[in-house]
């Protein structure tokens, strides 16, 4: 079996994009850190992010639970064929780490992964926002990502260190094997009426605080009944 590998690393700070594109549906100037460039050589990982990286919307992006955005290179052929976007390559989903041989059903909430001298923990599935749709000018792309489950996920940083593209990942701990990223995605986006699973997922101490809050609110609203 092929080992999980850090195929590519991307970083980028917020900047004005499409400055010369006229205003219109899914186009016109916009500011974001979504557009990231591949990095060659060693990259330092801190508790907040990677050296050279940043986010424009700090209310919804970044922070300790979302220090590193991860996406699987294994999904890129699907999107290239499905959307006809053959130019999709590493960093196409605004991710910092593009991984090979690792997808959502094989990753669990709370997983501890070692890469280089840094240590990471899976905190939550990635919830794509409008910027993904805006980048590729596909209005329904965020919804499609949620429906397919090809979302990627976030790492929090347990130990700062140095990483480099080409390194393999080592699974150091899996405290919650029953809660894959794929299953968490289904509970959040597909099986919204399954309040038993939502309540169970919300109890996981490794799950990002924002997800626990959303799930707790969903369960409480259901318990309260119609207004």
């Amino acid at each position: 079996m092929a080992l999980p590998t850090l195929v590519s690393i991307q970083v980028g700070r917020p900047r004005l994009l499409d400055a010369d594109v006229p205003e219109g549906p899914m186009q016109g100037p916009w500011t974001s850190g979504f557009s990231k460039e591949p990095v060659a050589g060693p990259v330092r990982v801190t508790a907040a992010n990677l050296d050279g990286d940043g986010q424009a919307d700090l209310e919804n992006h970044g922070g300790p639970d979302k220090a590193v955005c991860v996406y699987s290179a294994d999904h890129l052929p699907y999107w290239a064929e499905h959307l006809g976007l053959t130019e999709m390559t590493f960093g196409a989903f605004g991710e910092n780490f593009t991984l090979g041989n690792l997808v959502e059903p094989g990753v669990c909430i709370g997983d501890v992964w070692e890469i280089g001298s840094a240590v990471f923990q899976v905190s939550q599935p990635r919830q794509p926002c409008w910027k993904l749709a805006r980048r590729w000018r596909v209005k329904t792309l965020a919804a499609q990502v949620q429906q397919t489950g090809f979302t990627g996920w976030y790492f929090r940083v347990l130990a700062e260190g140095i990483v480099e593209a080409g390194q393999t990942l080592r699974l150091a701990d899996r405290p919650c094997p029953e809660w894959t990223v794929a299953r968490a995605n289904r509970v959040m986006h597909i099986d919204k009426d399954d309040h038993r699973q939502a309540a169970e997922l919300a109890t996981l101490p490794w799950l990002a605080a924002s997800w626990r809050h959303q799930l707790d609110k969903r369960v409480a609203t259901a318990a309260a009944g119609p207004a």
Side-chain angles (χ1 to χ4, degrees):
M1 181 181 294
L3 295 173
T5 303
L6 177 55
V7 177
S8 182
I9 302 173
Q10 290 79 221
V11 300
R13 298 196 186 280
R15 59 190 175 93
L16 181 65
L17 303 173
D18 297 334
D20 57 347
V21 177
E23 291 283 357
M26 302 298 291
Q27 64 182 32
W30 59 303
T31 299
S32 176
F34 186 95
S35 183
K36 302 182 186 299
E37 300 295 330
V39 179
V43 178
R44 178 164 179 76
V45 178
T46 71
N49 53 25
L50 308 182
D51 277 0
D53 197 48
Q55 297 82 30
D57 177 8
L58 294 177
E59 182 176 348
N60 296 300
H61 300 283
D65 283 340
K66 294 186 282 188
V68 180
C69 184
V70 181
Y71 202 71
S72 176
D74 297 23
H75 297 323
L76 294 179
Y78 169 85
W79 293 116
E81 179 179 359
H82 185 67
L83 301 174
L85 296 172
T86 56
E87 67 270 32
M88 274 190 163
T89 185
F90 307 145
F93 282 72
E95 77 273 14
N96 300 115
F97 287 176
T98 310
L99 304 184
N101 308 313
L102 198 62
V103 290
E104 291 79 3
V107 181
C108 300
I109 303 299
D111 272 4
V112 177
W113 292 90
E114 297 176 351
I115 312 174
S117 60
V119 182
F120 305 88
Q121 185 173 53
V122 177
S123 59
Q124 66 166 79
R126 194 257 187 94
Q127 283 185 284
C129 70
W130 64 270
K131 292 182 179 180
L132 177 60
R134 175 67 182 79
R135 166 64 181 85
W136 295 104
R137 294 186 172 87
V138 178
K139 187 175 182 180
T140 62
L141 185 52
Q144 290 185 53
V145 167
Q146 290 182 356
Q147 290 296 312
T148 58
F150 299 165
T151 59
W153 57 90
Y154 281 105
F155 280 148
R156 62 171 62 91
V157 178
L158 299 185
E160 298 182 351
I162 304 295
V163 298
E164 188 170 356
Q167 292 175 327
T168 56
L169 284 71
R170 189 183 81 84
L171 181 62
D173 190 24
R174 175 161 284 173
C176 200
E178 69 274 19
W179 273 106
T180 65
V181 168
R183 183 183 174 193
N185 268 326
R186 284 201 62 85
V187 170
M188 180 62 81
H189 303 301
I190 309 297
D191 301 329
K192 295 184 178 182
D193 292 330
D194 192 332
H195 302 121
R196 180 192 61 79
Q197 284 202 89
E200 181 183 336
L201 179 56
T203 66
L204 301 186
W206 311 281
L207 187 65
S210 61
W211 266 57
R212 285 189 275 117
H213 175 73
Q214 287 183 65
L215 293 166
D216 282 338
K217 185 177 180 180
R218 179 187 297 179
V219 172
T221 299

